[in-house]
C-alpha cells in the first residue's frame, strides 16, 4: 500500500471510530508506519474530520517533516513503537468505558480480567495500567515503553487507552475490542463471574 492509499485508509478508519462514539471532539490520535517513517493525526484534529493531505508525516526518528504538526502525544506512540518494533500502527482513544476503567482506584487487581476469548486473542490476558501523566508529558515515555514490552494494549491512568497492531486495521479492531471489554468489565463489576481458567487462556494462546 502506498502513502496515498494509507492516508485514505487512516482517514476512513478514524472517521468510523468517531461516528460510532469511540472518540469525541479532538480526542484521540492514530499513527501508522509507512516507508521512511510514520503518518500521524495532527494536533487538535478531530478523528471525524481529518484531511488525508494534511496528516503529519514523521521520519524514522519521529521528527516532523511534512503536513500539519503532529499530536502532542507523539511521545506515547514513539515509546510503543520502540518497545514493539514489529508494530505497524497505534490507536490512542479516550473512549468512554476504557477511560472509566482507567479512573478506578488502584486496588492491586487487574482492571480487565479475561472473561471472553476475544480479549485474550486480540489483546492478551494482562493489560497493564500506566500511571497518570499530563497529556503530552514526555515523562510518560519510560513507563509506556516498559509496559509495552509485555503488552500491546495499555490503559492510561485517568486518560484512556493505547493499542498497537500489526496493521492499521488490526490496531483499530483491537482498540474496539478493548473498549468493548472495558464496558463488559464495568457491567460485571460487583457480580460473581466466571473468568476464563488458566488452561482455557493457554489454549487460546496455543
Amino acid at each position: 500500500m502506498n502513502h496515498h492509499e494509507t492516508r485514505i485508509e487512516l482517514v476512513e478508519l478514524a472517521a468510523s471510530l468517531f461516528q460510532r462514539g469511540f472518540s469525541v471532539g479532538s480526542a484521540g490520535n492514530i499513527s501508522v508506519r509507512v516507508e521512511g517513517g510514520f503518518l500521524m493525526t495532527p494536533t487538535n484534529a478531530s478523528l471525524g474530520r481529518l484531511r488525508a493531505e494534511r496528516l503529519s508525516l514523521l521520519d524514522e526518528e519521529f521528527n516532523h517533516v511534512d503536513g500539519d504538526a503532529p499530536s502532542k502525544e507523539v511521545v506515547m506512540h514513539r515509546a510503543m513503537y520502540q518497545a514493539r518494533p514489529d508494530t505497524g500502527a497505534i490507536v490512542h482513544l479516550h473512549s468512554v468505558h476504557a477511560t472509566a476503567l482507567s479512573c478506578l482506584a488502584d486496588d492491586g487487581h487487574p482492571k480487565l480480567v479475561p472473561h471472553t476469548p476475544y480479549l485474550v486473542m486480540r489483546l492478551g490476558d494482562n493489560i497493564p495500567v500506566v500511571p497518570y501523566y499530563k497529556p503530552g508529558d514526555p515523562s510518560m515515555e519510560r513507563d509506556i515503553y516498559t509496559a509495552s514490552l509485555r503488552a500491546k494494549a495499555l490503559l492510561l491512568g485517568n486518560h484512556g487507552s493505547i493499542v498497537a497492531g500489526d496493521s492499521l486495521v488490526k490496531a483499530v479492531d483491537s482498540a474496539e475490542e478493548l473498549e468493548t471489554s472495558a464496558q463488559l468489565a464495568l457491567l460485571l463489576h460487583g457480580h460473581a463471574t466466571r473468568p476464563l481458567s488458566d488452561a482455557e487462556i493457554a489454549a487460546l494462546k496455543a
Side-chain angles (χ1 to χ4, degrees), residues 17 22-23 27-30 47 73 76-77 80 90-103 112 123 127-130 140 144 148 152-164 171-172 174-180 182:
L17 288 169
F22 286 87
S23 137
N29 37 74
I30 301 173
L47 295 188
E73 294 181 321
M76 296 194 304
H77 293 247
M80 189 166 260
I90 290 172
V91 176
H92 163 53
L93 297 175
H94 302 175
S95 53
V96 173
H97 298 93
T99 303
L101 208 61
S102 78
C103 294
L112 279 171
L123 301 171
I127 298 175
V129 181
V130 175
M140 73 175 72
I144 291 179
S148 297
K152 66 177 180 179
L154 312 176
L155 288 173
L156 306 170
N158 301 82
H159 188 162
S161 64
I162 185 167
V163 178
V172 168
S174 294
E176 293 176 0
E177 181 60 41
L178 181 55
E179 170 62 8
T180 299

Side-chain angles (χ1 to χ4, degrees), residues 10-20 30 47-50:
L10 192 158
V11 169
E12 290 177 347
L13 289 170
S16 174
L17 288 169
F18 182 85
Q19 290 159 6
R20 290 177 294 131
I30 301 173
L47 295 188
R49 297 182 291 273
L50 296 173

Side-chain angles (χ1 to χ4, degrees), residues 10-185:
L10 192 158
V11 169
E12 290 177 347
L13 289 170
S16 174
L17 288 169
F18 182 85
Q19 290 159 6
R20 290 177 294 131
F22 286 87
S23 137
V24 297
S26 60
N29 37 74
I30 301 173
S31 65
V32 58
R33 189 186 297 274
V34 294
E35 184 178 357
F38 305 87
L39 285 170
M40 188 171 193
T41 53
T43 187
N44 295 321
S46 167
L47 295 188
R49 297 182 291 273
L50 296 173
R51 294 170 54 195
E53 71 276 11
R54 297 311 309 162
L55 293 176
S56 306
L57 179 63
L58 311 175
D59 65 18
E60 293 179 347
E61 305 303 319
F62 295 90
N63 298 305
H64 179 218
V65 295
D66 194 23
D68 292 340
S71 167
K72 65 178 177 291
E73 294 181 321
V74 65
V75 62
M76 296 194 304
H77 293 247
R78 180 172 63 200
M80 189 166 260
Y81 280 115
Q82 290 177 343
R84 308 183 70 84
D86 292 337
T87 292
I90 290 172
V91 176
H92 163 53
L93 297 175
H94 302 175
S95 53
V96 173
H97 298 93
T99 303
L101 208 61
S102 78
C103 294
L104 294 180
D106 184 4
D107 59 3
H109 298 292
K111 302 301 181 203
L112 279 171
V113 176
H115 281 101
T116 71
Y118 310 103
L119 174 67
V120 177
M121 291 187 294
R122 293 176 183 161
L123 301 171
D125 62 320
N126 181 18
I127 298 175
V129 181
V130 175
Y132 171 76
Y133 287 92
K134 178 182 176 182
D137 183 347
S139 301
M140 73 175 72
E141 188 163 8
R142 185 184 189 92
D143 278 347
I144 291 179
Y145 175 85
T146 301
S148 297
L149 289 173
R150 66 181 193 275
K152 66 177 180 179
L154 312 176
L155 288 173
L156 306 170
N158 301 82
H159 188 162
S161 64
I162 185 167
V163 178
D166 296 341
S167 67
L168 191 49
V169 169
K170 288 184 178 180
V172 168
D173 286 349
S174 294
E176 293 176 0
E177 181 60 41
L178 181 55
E179 170 62 8
T180 299
S181 296
Q183 182 178 14
L184 182 63

